[in-house]
Amino acid sequence: MLVAAAVCPCPPLLVPAVAQGAAPELDAARAACTDALGVLAAARPDRLLVVGPAERSGRGPHPQGAPGSFRGFGVDLDVRLGPATGSAPERPLPPSLAVAAWLLERTGWSAAPVEGLGVGESLAADRCVAAGRDIAARPERVAMLVMGDGSACRSLKAPGYLDERAEPFDTEAARALGAADVAALTALDAELAYELKVSGRAPWQVLAGAAEGADLSGALLYDEAPYGVGYLVAAWS
């Protein structure tokens, strides 16, 4: 049963050591993420499931204590997904879950055991929703930390260059996340999301599947597009 959810962006730049001199530019986003994680802790879940985009799905869950690293971004910084258990396998976290692990360490997460799940960015909407329904079918009280960015085409200097379809897509995604609108999230166009380099589409649709039938209300905590990329933070409770 899903009892709460937090939606956060997953750029490595969220980690100050990676952003370096540009770190203050995302201070507001970090603060919003901290507030969203506070909503998860307040729900007192039995388990926290962290979901984020990955190159592909189906490689199994990442257990608590799974390792992540930002060495690929030129920073000597390692993280763990929740408190180390002493027996975690060494299969590394995808970058999105490494950012989540950093957020959890930063806020001192200890409210519940943690598990990670990487979702292929190309996974079809129906399969994302089905994965979410499986999460909701668990007998335990589950909270979700859902990582993912909006479009990467909001400006001329954006990674995907300027695309006039990007801002309307992000506006609708922000509205749906802020309103906990499960139907609208399920209806997000996967092909358009791919063209706009939206990494959050699949994780958001997993959340939509998990939230079907749950009586949750949403709040949008952050909606900006620094660097031409849509970053959204929301909390459901």
Side-chain angles (χ1 to χ4, degrees):
M1 177 177 65
L2 182 68
V3 297
V7 176
C8 294
C10 60
L13 287 174
L14 205 60
V15 180
V18 176
Q20 297 184 13
E25 297 176 15
L26 290 181
D27 279 348
R30 295 183 193 98
C33 290
T34 297
D35 291 342
L37 286 172
V39 171
L40 298 186
R44 298 185 178 181
D46 299 321
R47 180 170 298 274
L48 175 64
L49 182 60
V50 183
V51 179
E55 291 185 1
R56 58 179 180 172
S57 301
R59 296 187 62 193
H62 296 271
Q64 179 164 307
S69 174
F70 295 96
R71 295 175 189 272
F73 301 96
V75 176
D76 185 15
L77 176 63
D78 298 317
V79 292
R80 293 275 179 180
L81 187 64
T85 63
S87 59
E90 292 304 308
R91 181 165 64 89
L93 298 169
S96 66
L97 297 190
V99 174
W102 177 82
L103 285 173
L104 292 171
E105 287 187 3
R106 178 175 183 262
T107 56
W109 177 267
S110 61
V114 184
E115 178 182 328
L117 178 65
V119 181
E121 292 187 42
S122 62
L123 193 67
D126 59 342
R127 294 184 62 190
C128 293
V129 171
R133 289 171 179 158
D134 288 342
I135 293 168
R138 298 184 180 192
E140 57 195 348
R141 290 166 46 84
V142 177
M144 293 178 65
L145 173 55
V146 182
M147 308 298 292
D149 302 340
S151 69
C153 303
R154 293 280 294 274
S155 71
L156 294 175
K157 295 184 178 181
Y161 196 66
L162 178 64
D163 190 313
E164 294 181 354
R165 302 171 298 173
E167 186 169 355
F169 183 98
D170 285 349
T171 297
E172 173 57 11
R175 186 205 65 77
L177 290 169
D181 189 336
V182 169
L185 290 175
T186 302
L188 290 176
D189 188 324
E191 183 175 351
L192 177 58
Y194 175 80
E195 293 173 0
L196 296 176
K197 303 184 183 301
V198 178
S199 70
R201 189 274 310 172
W204 297 339
Q205 289 180 329
V206 173
L207 170 60
E212 287 181 350
D215 185 18
L216 300 178
S217 60
L220 187 66
L221 306 181
Y222 183 85
D223 177 10
E224 298 291 344
Y227 319 118
V229 181
Y231 295 153
L232 304 171
V233 180
W236 294 12
S237 61

